Amino acid sequence: MDSEKPPSNHTPAAGRRSLDLRERNGYIVLSEDDCYDHLAFCFPSWKKWMIISVIFLVQTSMNFNTSLYSNAIGGISEEFGISLQAARCGAMIYLVTYAFGCELWAPWSEELGRKPILQLSMLLTNIWQIPVALAPNFATIMVGRAFGGLSLAGGSVTLGMIADLWEPEHQHYAVASVVFSSVAGSVLGPLIGGFVEAFQPWPWAMWIQLIFGGFVQICHLLLVPETRTTIMINNYAKEQRKATGLNVCGPDEFQPFKERFSLSQILLTWIRPFKMLVTEPIVLTLSLLSGFSDALIFMFIQSFSLVYGQWGFSTVAVSLSFIPILVGYIIAWLSMYPVLHRNSTKRKKNPDDEHVQYESRLWWLLYTAPCLPIGLIGFAWTSLGPPVHWMGSMVFAAIVGIGNYTIYMTTIDYMVCAYGPYSASATGGNGFARDILAGALTVPATPFFSSTLTRISILHLLSSRGFRLRDLLERTGDAQKITIRSAIVRRSEGKCQPSRFHGLLRIEAPDSQAQYWSEYW
């Protein structure tokens, strides 16, 4: 079959279990080389960006759901006779289960396809909004929120679609857009939620999530095709058999169900994201940095009413105080474009330089990560209340927003590029760290900010950890050789044997890894 060939640096996504098996049950097993021009890589630009536009809405909706609940806390507390702190557990449980949802859904999108997994995820998420809105007691709210969070596939799947659509050297602008939708969705919740809290009963916070989620799901169903490479090769093989009678099959066709989805295979599929997070030092380092920064935003969501209440802000005014964080995100998003252009130019000039092709994607992070501790220290000393003007705290909140976006963007861009078709599992670790840390800090956020001394102490402690993570990242890059691909992925292709270190980082000095982690902690 005549077909456009993939570029020389293309990382194959399909047929990993059958790369050495060119025939199965009398059928020729197709590879990407056989039908590259029929894959999502070769979609026209307008179609790719239409897909990304819908995914932008999908990701915004998912993160919107994580934060809008906070504006229903007062109404829930009053209706069910529980404390405000107890009501915040609904926000906490959603984020914690969301962390596990990202991990559990992501690998299945690689096995069954992106579209059915996202459709099922959004359907379940929307369904679980109904019992929460109609809850007769707080226990029902907790159960609904827990299952709602577990139903979210999250950014690990949406970002994995980028690896389906673009080769690594062309993916960065799409990653920047999807990352912006993720962080902006978390801030959009309290922005809209303030008006809901002020003018509607608390169940409307859930109904609005359901309305938005339903609209997004319909858009996704009608406008977004399947992009997962293995699924597209399977579909192409079926078309060829029907149209030409050729004895060809896709990489996953004609495999017995028990062989493809055995208990051991299901467990391996579920464990893969956790294993990548725990055993690959670069994934763990970047995920901790990303999770730390995202947790701060959810601390702000819970504590801004307390902070700006010192200046007598109304409910609506408190919701508008999240605009500076959104402005920080926009500034960081725009700042990425010249950086992305610079990196893209360098990659074209140095196609064989691994550092330029991969690690250079983290270059801007080294200069913007300090925005996080700087913003934290500044916010601590300008959120003391009158006579200090409230504008100062908003400026530093915007600086925190700049740091949060660039940390998420650069780490995700690097992992999507490095892991290619397994990026959903790799970025699942990043999403797990972000959500689990955000959930862990949601409940104690208000007590932290209740005392001025405690607030300053906690924010100073967090800022010092931020500096240490940044220093760890920089020194790790100098001390260790970062290889192109994960050992997990290479073993799945049968190209390497298990080794002591199962990650992107190949240790040159035997004690360097332990030394850096011990120094950090």
Side-chain angles (χ1 to χ4, degrees):
M1 286 172 288
D2 294 331
S3 175
E4 178 183 340
K5 298 301 180 182
S8 58
N9 60 347
H10 173 71
T11 301
R16 293 188 183 280
R17 291 184 296 276
S18 57
L19 283 176
D20 299 322
L21 182 64
R22 292 297 298 167
E23 186 175 330
R24 180 189 297 131
N25 297 337
Y27 289 85
I28 298 174
V29 180
L30 295 182
S31 68
E32 291 183 21
D33 289 349
D34 300 317
C35 54
Y36 184 77
D37 55 344
H38 292 272
L39 303 181
F41 296 111
C42 296
F43 283 170
S45 293
W46 68 265
K47 187 173 184 178
K48 289 183 179 182
W49 283 104
M50 179 195 68
I51 293 171
I52 292 301
S53 297
V54 177
I55 295 304
F56 186 101
L57 291 176
V58 171
Q59 191 62 56
T60 300
S61 172
M62 289 180 178
N63 287 73
F64 179 76
N65 293 347
T66 64
S67 56
L68 184 59
Y69 171 89
S70 296
N71 292 98
I73 287 175
I76 291 173
S77 172
E78 183 178 349
E79 180 169 336
F80 298 113
I82 59 175
S83 67
L84 291 172
Q85 198 68 350
R88 289 188 182 94
C89 291
M92 177 272 295
I93 195 66
Y94 195 83
L95 287 165
V96 171
T97 54
Y98 183 18
F100 288 95
C102 286
E103 297 289 338
L104 296 177
W105 286 100
W108 290 109
S109 74
E110 296 163 353
E111 300 294 334
L112 302 175
R114 313 292 190 193
K115 185 165 186 174
I117 290 300
L118 273 180
Q119 277 292 310
L120 181 59
S121 169
M122 288 186 284
L123 176 63
L124 292 175
T125 300
N126 292 334
I127 288 174
W128 285 111
Q129 301 289 358
I130 299 174
V132 175
L134 301 176
N137 50 55
F138 184 64
T140 304
I141 291 178
M142 288 294 290
V143 171
R145 292 291 289 178
F147 281 103
L150 200 62
S151 300
L152 281 173
S156 52
V157 176
T158 56
L159 288 165
M161 292 180 66
I162 295 175
D164 299 336
L165 293 167
W166 280 278
E167 296 289 352
E169 63 270 20
H170 301 303
Q171 70 184 9
H172 38 271
Y173 294 112
V175 174
S177 297
V178 174
V179 167
F180 179 79
S181 69
S182 178
V183 296
S186 300
V187 175
L188 187 63
L191 266 174
I192 295 176
F195 294 90
V196 177
E197 182 179 358
F199 302 111
Q200 296 293 338
W202 72 264
W204 268 99
M206 311 307 149
W207 295 129
I208 288 176
Q209 293 177 51
L210 177 58
I211 293 169
F212 188 21
F215 168 75
V216 169
Q217 183 174 0
I218 292 173
C219 291
H220 179 267
L221 177 65
L222 298 178
L223 298 176
V224 178
E226 179 58 63
T227 61
R228 174 65 180 168
T229 300
T230 50
I231 305 301
M232 296 188 75
I233 295 178
N234 291 342
N235 294 337
Y236 176 75
K238 292 175 185 177
E239 293 174 1
Q240 289 298 308
R241 289 198 302 271
K242 183 177 181 180
T244 66
L246 290 174
N247 288 335
V248 295
C249 69
D252 296 324
E253 287 191 287
F254 305 128
Q255 283 187 302
F257 182 85
K258 291 183 179 180
E259 178 183 330
R260 189 179 176 193
F261 297 108
S262 63
L263 179 60
S264 60
Q265 183 64 36
I266 291 174
L267 291 176
L268 286 174
T269 300
W270 271 338
I271 289 171
R272 186 194 302 154
F274 295 99
K275 185 175 182 180
M276 294 176 83
L277 176 64
V278 174
T279 62
E280 306 205 11
I282 192 64
V283 175
L284 181 60
T285 303
L286 296 179
S287 297
L288 281 176
L289 181 60
S290 185
F292 165 75
S293 66
D294 195 51
L296 296 173
I297 301 302
F298 283 91
M299 285 185 68
F300 283 170
I301 290 172
Q302 297 299 325
S303 60
F304 265 25
S305 59
L306 182 64
V307 170
Y308 291 108
Q310 298 174 112
W311 287 280
F313 277 32
S314 66
T315 300
V316 172
V318 170
S319 73
L320 295 177
S321 66
F322 285 90
I323 292 178
I325 299 178
L326 184 60
V327 170
Y329 288 156
I330 294 173
I331 292 173
W333 187 19
L334 295 177
S335 77
M336 287 303 304
Y337 280 88
V339 174
L340 295 174
H341 178 73
R342 166 192 176 273
N343 291 345
S344 178
T345 302
K346 290 186 67 175
R347 286 195 294 271
K348 289 178 182 178
K349 292 181 178 179
N350 303 277
D352 299 323
D353 189 326
E354 291 182 8
H355 178 82
V356 171
Q357 295 298 320
Y358 295 90
E359 288 76 65
S360 65
R361 297 171 188 268
L362 299 174
W363 171 78
W364 189 230
L365 173 62
L366 297 178
Y367 296 96
T368 54
C371 287
L372 213 58
I374 291 171
L376 282 175
I377 294 173
F379 185 84
W381 287 102
T382 55
S383 61
L384 303 177
V388 179
H389 199 278
W390 50 264
M391 183 60 73
S393 62
M394 292 190 178
V395 170
F396 285 106
I399 293 174
V400 171
I402 293 173
N404 186 36
Y405 175 84
T406 53
I407 287 170
Y408 194 21
M409 164 58 198
T410 53
T411 56
I412 288 295
D413 184 35
Y414 176 81
M415 283 193 280
V416 170
C417 173
Y419 287 94
Y422 285 91
S423 59
S425 294
T427 57
N430 191 302
F432 179 81
R434 290 175 71 86
D435 295 322
I436 201 75
L437 290 175
L441 289 175
T442 292
V443 173
T446 300
F448 282 168
F449 279 77
S450 297
S451 166
T452 299
L453 179 61
T454 303
R455 182 191 319 159
I456 293 175
S457 300
I458 291 295
L459 292 179
H460 271 265
L461 174 63
L462 293 176
S463 66
S464 68
R465 295 300 90 189
F467 273 121
R468 292 299 298 144
L469 273 171
R470 188 265 187 191
D471 179 61
L472 174 67
L473 177 65
E474 185 174 25
R475 294 183 62 188
T476 298
D478 292 337
Q480 304 176 25
K481 177 178 175 59
I482 301 178
T483 60
I484 293 182
R485 305 249 302 288
S486 163
I488 289 177
V489 175
R490 298 206 313 278
R491 282 197 301 279
S492 71
E493 296 174 337
K495 294 182 179 179
C496 72
Q497 298 297 321
S499 59
R500 180 184 171 209
F501 298 104
H502 304 295
L504 282 170
L505 300 183
R506 183 178 299 158
I507 310 301
E508 292 185 345
D511 297 328
S512 59
Q513 185 184 20
Q515 175 186 347
Y516 289 137
W517 283 113
S518 63
E519 285 182 5
Y520 170 73
W521 293 112

